[in-house]
Amino acid sequence: MELSALSGGFDNAAHQSATAFRAIMNVTARPGVIETVSGAMPPKGLSIAAGSLLLTLCDPETKLYLAGGVDSQPIRDWLTFHTGAPLVPAAQADFALGAWEELLPLTQYAIGTDQYPDRSATLIVEMPELSQSGATLTGPGIKDSAQLSLPSLEPFQLNAALFPLGCDFFFTAGDKIAALPRTTKPESVTCM
Amino acid sequence: MYVAVKGGEKAIDAAHDWLAEVRRGDPAVAELSLAQIREQMSLAVDRVMSEGSLHDPDLAALAIKQSRGDLIEAIFLIRAYRTTLPRFGASHPIKTDTMQCQRRVSATFKDVPGGQILGPTFDYTHRLLDFKLAAEGAVPDAPVEDDPDLLAERKPHVMGFLNKDSLIETAEPDDETPPDLTRAPMELPANRALRLQNLTRADEGFLLGLAYSTQRGYARNHAFVGELRIGKVAVEMDIPELGFAVEIGEITVTECETVNQFKGSKTEPPQFTRGYGLVFGQCERKAISMALVDRALRWKELGEDNAGAPAQDEEFVLSHSDNIQATGFLEHIKLPHYVDFQSELELIRSIRAAANAAQQDTKITAE
Amino acid sequence: MSDYNFAYLDEQTKRMIRRAILKGLAIPGYQVPFASREMPMPYGWGTGGVQVTAACLTPDDTLKVIDQGADDTTNAVSIRRFFEKTAAVAVTQSTKRASVIQTRHRIPEEPLSEDQILVYQVPIPEPLRFLEPRETETRKMHALEEYGLMHVKLFEDISQHGQIATAYAYPVMVEGRYVMDPSPIPRFDNPKMEMAAIQLFGAGREQRIYAIPPYTQVVSLDFEDYPFEASKAEGACALCGADHTYLDEVIVDDDGGRMFVCSDTDYCESRRQAGHLGVEGTPYRKDAA
């Protein structure tokens, strides 16, 4: 393990994770909202937002899948040291991390069961950037409608159709974060 | 003119001060020390450890002192403290066949290898108040010395003898990590490990009542105490830095194994079956009750009929056994509920008004 | 042993609760099982709400705690003190100034804003519990969206009493999918549940967390010919004169004479500050509290 794996965690876990969680909760409750989440200094290839989110939510009780490019030794070491989350294949994951194309297909992730729809995977999608433009979102948490730069449309529509089953998504870019829970119905913008 | 009552903060402070005062009682009477409670109220200490799920006689004594002897309150103090403790790891399963028994009896055999040891039991005392104990400063009799040979002698489990003849169901060792009901929400149906975990923390009175009900015919399972043993066992834990297990201490436990009659079912041959109880400290009433309730809950896996008895109902037993949950929810109804009550008042008034109006209508029509 | 973590709970416990809260927000109205911890206050005193609040609080928060709508009820005082001591957060009695509000049995009268979180203490989270006591059965009923039993119960009320005889903890349908217990708030408060703030529900003893995101559809169950009614006592607050708030009945003499006052003490006080006066009220003076 590289020495760098030991650094870059929260300096003050109780306060930083509390602040990070509030941003994470707020974007989950208000799809389309973009917040700043920081505190972690993860190794190259992992955004500050994704790193901070993983430190806030993951521990030895959560199974984590690293898709494609993020499945590198430095990132593995860093996450293992700071969270202790066991690394697993996609089908067993509570959390999955990666670029959109590398996370696909969505059908490989747990979507919960009729009796326990919460036993589903949460995907953390690393994005080049995030903006309040692109797909139009409606659903719980959204007053009228919202917009978010989703990496795709149809997979999210199919996922929303599974409700109350389905996956939930976070999108991270730099220190920015947004979310798309399974309740959100995305549509393409009609005319721009 | 009306001024709304305020003063919750002051009332709480005053109540706490008053509580501290009555806890201490008459200051002219010497204060209890934790050592006195630990040594002279040892069965209370054991109950608090067992239902508090924390083996620490000194802390249990402190909790008893702080709670003015209210054992459920003491158990609550221990539970709340236990939750905050860091977890360093899990011990190896304790080996009760290596127990240094201070008490060991079998109801199913007149004598057993290793011998029966009556130990410090109330069983054959005549329940006459001993007024000598009322006299302070009485010099105790010379303590009974433990017979080191007897203690050291290995006492095999009585159930093992029945096992040799295949007369009793075999209980295969299981290496699977048991679920931890203090770290994961209870999910039903529960496996036996989870059930036993729930029962060992369960309220003694609740288990006693349930076990008694099985004896009186509500899912009777014909239990004999195959063996009841009380004594010290070593606790071993793997130390990763060392690469091997070391003994980290000794705890006293009570273990009860019952032999239960069983005529066989579609899936199982006629043989004796088992009920099991294991609790911290010397809590034999609890251990025996636990074994009976454990056996009653096993009806499904043994292919028995569901008699519809309370002790067979897993969800009922496991959901209501915890006295901290039960007492909290029971006692919370003394908290203010005046908003809900107000809504009920309005509802009753409105239903009554509607009923009265309907009656009036009927009268008028009749006239 | 005096040195507890920020907001009392250890970090691993908070992570577990936080994950449950996120699942709750993603599946509005669904009860997420969580490994509730034993808190230093009894079950029934709000251990679920306290754990949810502890998992949400940041050092910058301003906390308000109410019980029966009042900040000064003993248990509200006790919980507020707990967080003052363990999280060193600012506390307030003002609904407007609070960023996190923990409540038992009421929703404040003042509409909540997007910057606020309302945490409910929940005794029995299962709306079907009194129709079917078994969790193993109610879980199936939720899975299959089988809510017929609930409608039958409400209909029987109507045929027997001429109205739905549920005055508090009146069941709601969330986003057209899950029937949910709104906690024992009076049904007067039900329509407020479609709000701008995040609503989180914690049931400690029953080990469940659930949630309603802002602007989520929350419909009180009813029938076309017997629509839901958000009822309250007839009359106006004797202190501030409000006739649109939920009222508590206060017995004022030995003959059972009574008057009504706002259950939401902060709202009542703000109205008096603004110059509103009821028949028994006195003009607002800051020192009079």
Side-chain angles (χ1 to χ4, degrees):
Chain A
M1 188 186 285
E2 293 280 319
L3 200 61
S4 60
L6 310 182
S7 64
F10 289 142
D11 306 325
N12 180 340
H15 287 187
Q16 284 175 302
S17 64
T19 308
F21 174 68
R22 277 293 276 282
I24 294 164
M25 176 167 79
N26 206 32
V27 296
T28 306
R30 302 172 197 282
V33 166
I34 298 173
E35 290 244 16
T36 302
V37 61
S38 60
M41 290 303 288
K44 202 162 168 281
L46 188 57
S47 68
I48 289 174
S52 302
L53 178 139
L54 289 163
L55 295 199
T56 302
L57 296 179
C58 291
D59 56 33
E61 290 175 7
T62 55
K63 299 190 203 91
L64 178 62
Y65 167 64
L66 301 178
V70 294
D71 191 14
S72 72
Q73 200 58 46
I75 292 178
R76 280 171 168 257
D77 286 347
W78 189 80
L79 287 172
T80 302
F81 178 78
H82 290 285
T83 70
L87 300 176
V88 298
Q92 297 165 28
D94 298 308
F95 288 89
L97 171 72
W100 174 246
E101 298 297 334
E102 292 177 329
L103 283 164
L104 295 176
L106 292 191
T107 47
Q108 62 187 324
Y109 301 101
I111 55 167
T113 65
D114 289 341
Q115 295 201 15
Y116 293 94
D118 55 311
R119 294 182 179 171
S120 54
T122 299
L123 276 60
I124 303 148
V125 187
E126 287 273 50
M127 306 267 286
E129 57 181 346
L130 277 177
S131 69
Q132 289 182 310
S133 63
T136 300
L137 314 180
T138 54
I142 303 166
K143 194 172 183 188
D144 300 310
S145 68
Q147 295 205 312
L148 189 64
S149 52
L150 297 180
S152 180
L153 197 59
E154 203 193 352
F156 298 110
Q157 291 171 329
L158 292 174
N159 182 65
L162 296 171
F163 182 81
L165 308 189
C167 297
D168 305 306
F169 302 87
F170 288 104
F171 304 100
T172 48
D175 62 356
K176 300 294 179 209
I177 187 165
L180 194 84
R182 66 193 78 176
T183 46
T184 307
K185 291 166 274 296
E187 280 165 52
S188 63
V189 180
T190 38
C191 54
M192 278 293 283
Chain B
M1 196 191 87
Y2 174 78
V3 179
V5 188
K6 284 206 168 192
E9 307 226 5
K10 278 186 197 146
I12 290 177
D13 287 339
H16 290 178
D17 290 347
W18 199 350
L19 174 63
E21 203 178 304
V22 295
R23 175 190 295 128
R24 176 61 183 86
D26 183 352
V29 176
E31 187 179 349
L32 271 176
S33 73
L34 296 193
Q36 285 172 328
I37 297 171
R38 188 190 64 224
E39 296 302 318
Q40 297 173 40
M41 295 282 151
S42 56
L43 295 185
V45 166
D46 286 354
R47 181 174 173 197
V48 169
M49 293 197 305
S50 119
E51 292 171 37
S53 286
L54 184 72
H55 195 285
D56 189 324
D58 290 307
L59 283 181
L62 170 60
I64 291 168
K65 179 173 177 175
Q66 189 177 333
S67 65
R68 304 173 63 196
D70 178 338
L71 294 192
I72 291 186
E73 182 66 27
I75 292 159
F76 183 15
L77 288 167
I78 290 297
R79 290 268 193 96
Y81 177 70
R82 177 191 192 274
T83 315
T84 66
L85 297 175
R87 293 178 176 229
F88 298 117
S91 76
H92 285 202
I94 54 171
K95 299 188 184 79
T96 51
D97 56 338
T98 65
M99 180 188 288
Q100 295 179 40
C101 297
Q102 51 167 265
R103 171 160 165 75
R104 182 212 194 201
V105 292
S106 169
T108 47
F109 297 98
K110 183 169 185 184
D111 203 2
V112 285
Q116 306 230 24
I117 306 167
L118 212 44
T121 174
F122 292 124
D123 282 357
Y124 307 103
T125 61
H126 294 152
R127 269 53 169 212
L128 305 169
L129 279 175
D130 182 355
F131 292 100
K132 281 197 305 243
L133 289 175
E136 289 178 59
V139 183
D141 297 334
V144 183
E145 290 292 332
D146 289 334
D147 178 345
D149 291 341
L150 193 62
L151 274 181
E153 189 185 342
R154 195 178 164 102
K155 295 170 191 67
H157 278 123
V158 171
M159 306 294 264
F161 306 125
L162 287 170
N163 212 8
K164 282 189 183 131
D165 301 332
S166 306
L167 290 176
I168 192 159
E169 58 165 327
T170 39
E172 297 294 345
D174 185 355
D175 284 336
E176 204 180 312
T177 307
D180 181 345
L181 65 76
T182 67
R183 308 298 283 185
M186 190 165 67
E187 196 181 323
L188 299 164
N191 64 17
R192 193 176 178 200
L194 189 63
R195 291 198 304 250
L196 289 170
Q197 210 176 111
N198 176 290
L199 297 181
T200 195
R201 287 158 59 92
D203 182 71
E204 178 177 309
F206 179 79
L207 280 195
L208 171 65
L210 278 176
Y212 177 48
S213 75
T214 68
Q215 291 183 294
R216 288 195 64 258
Y218 291 81
R220 180 157 183 242
N221 53 41
H222 315 268
F224 298 99
V225 172
E227 185 174 6
L228 176 73
R229 53 168 71 194
I230 302 171
K232 283 186 180 149
V233 290
V235 178
E236 293 185 341
M237 199 173 137
D238 277 328
I239 307 293
E241 288 80 0
L242 297 177
F244 53 86
V246 294
E247 186 180 322
I248 55 170
E250 277 184 336
I251 59 172
T252 295
V253 295
T254 304
E255 184 185 52
C256 175
E257 291 191 276
T258 55
V259 184
N260 300 69
Q261 204 187 81
F262 182 60
K263 297 197 179 76
S265 69
K266 279 181 201 138
T267 54
E268 305 293 321
Q271 59 182 342
F272 292 114
T273 54
R274 300 164 183 259
Y276 188 72
L278 180 75
V279 290
F280 282 154
Q282 178 173 353
C283 298
E284 57 184 83
R285 183 186 300 123
K286 168 88 175 273
I288 299 169
S289 302
M290 179 175 168
L292 263 61
V293 176
D294 168 50
R295 177 59 186 78
L297 288 172
R298 297 183 60 212
W299 65 273
K300 210 181 268 180
E301 65 207 48
L302 295 169
E304 289 176 321
D305 289 336
N306 179 6
Q312 285 180 307
D313 187 332
E314 173 181 285
E315 183 161 351
F316 177 81
V317 173
L318 301 187
S319 307
H320 301 114
S321 63
D322 189 294
N323 52 24
I324 303 306
Q325 291 177 357
T327 202
F329 197 52
L330 179 105
E331 292 193 54
H332 107 283
I333 62 173
K334 69 195 172 190
L335 295 180
H337 281 77
Y338 57 80
V339 162
D340 295 349
F341 185 69
Q342 183 65 42
S343 66
E344 292 272 281
L345 268 179
E346 293 306 323
L347 181 69
I348 290 283
R349 282 181 186 139
S350 134
I351 291 175
R352 283 175 64 98
N356 281 340
Q359 258 179 6
Q360 289 291 334
D361 284 353
T362 327
K363 257 191 205 164
I364 292 163
T365 324
E367 280 164 11
Chain C
M1 69 170 271
S2 61
D3 201 15
Y4 289 107
N5 197 23
F6 172 74
Y8 184 77
L9 297 174
D10 61 279
E11 288 305 301
Q12 181 152 358
T13 297
K14 281 192 254 180
R15 278 192 296 272
M16 176 270 295
I17 296 170
R18 286 167 179 164
R19 293 192 295 259
I21 291 172
L22 295 179
K23 292 286 187 194
L25 285 166
I27 316 167
Y30 166 74
Q31 303 161 50
V32 185
F34 85 111
S36 173
R37 301 293 195 244
E38 272 151 332
M39 300 299 287
M41 62 220 21
Y43 290 116
W45 265 245
T47 55
V50 166
Q51 289 179 79
V52 168
T53 297
C56 284
L57 277 183
T58 73
D60 305 327
D61 271 313
T62 302
L63 177 70
K64 171 183 166 85
V65 183
I66 48 173
D67 187 340
Q68 314 295 301
D71 299 88
D72 196 47
T73 29
T74 38
N75 200 39
V77 170
S78 166
I79 291 172
R80 192 164 60 235
R81 278 188 176 181
F82 176 75
F83 284 114
E84 276 184 284
K85 202 188 297 176
T86 59
V89 289
V91 296
T92 183
Q93 302 203 1
S94 158
T95 300
K96 279 182 194 160
R97 277 202 288 273
S99 54
V100 178
I101 302 172
Q102 180 168 330
T103 182
R104 176 167 171 262
H105 295 190
R106 274 312 309 278
I107 297 176
E109 305 290 359
E110 182 75 35
L112 300 186
S113 71
E114 292 207 339
D115 305 324
Q116 296 181 304
I117 298 169
L118 184 60
V119 178
Y120 295 76
Q121 299 172 203
V122 182
I124 302 275
E126 179 49 71
L128 307 169
R129 176 68 70 236
F130 301 112
L131 305 171
E132 167 53 64
R134 284 173 199 280
E135 144 82 9
T136 38
E137 291 301 317
T138 53
R139 183 162 287 281
K140 279 183 216 153
M141 291 159 75
H142 284 294
L144 300 170
E145 255 182 294
E146 213 180 273
Y147 296 129
L149 207 56
M150 179 63 93
H151 282 102
V152 168
K153 190 257 169 200
L154 297 177
F155 189 75
E156 279 174 357
D157 274 4
I158 291 169
S159 52
Q160 202 180 341
H161 308 294
Q163 58 176 291
I164 292 173
T166 299
Y168 61 91
Y170 190 103
V172 294
M173 169 75 83
V174 180
E175 203 59 25
R177 178 56 182 82
Y178 285 103
V179 167
M180 189 195 93
D181 181 291
S183 90
I185 54 172
R187 68 184 187 191
F188 174 81
D189 282 340
N190 273 25
K192 297 179 189 165
M193 297 185 90
E194 289 186 354
M195 62 164 74
I198 296 173
Q199 298 173 79
L200 305 174
F201 300 78
R205 188 178 39 78
E206 299 280 341
Q207 308 190 312
R208 297 290 183 273
I209 283 173
Y210 52 103
I212 304 180
Y215 313 115
T216 298
Q217 189 195 53
V218 182
V219 178
S220 302
L221 299 183
D222 64 357
F223 298 94
E224 253 175 46
D225 40 350
Y226 284 93
F228 169 82
E229 257 181 278
S231 57
K232 70 173 202 56
E234 290 293 323
C237 171
L239 299 180
C240 77
D243 60 1
H244 60 285
T245 59
Y246 191 77
L247 299 173
D248 292 333
E249 187 168 328
V250 183
I251 310 280
V252 288
D253 56 41
D254 292 353
D255 301 326
R258 58 177 193 257
M259 59 182 259
F260 292 98
V261 294
C262 286
S263 125
D264 184 335
T265 49
D266 171 62
Y267 190 75
C268 190
E269 194 166 306
S270 324
R271 276 178 53 84
R272 283 185 288 133
Q273 266 184 55
H276 296 279
L277 201 60
V279 290
E280 298 282 338
T282 48
Y284 181 80
R285 285 202 346 263
K286 199 171 192 298
D287 55 319

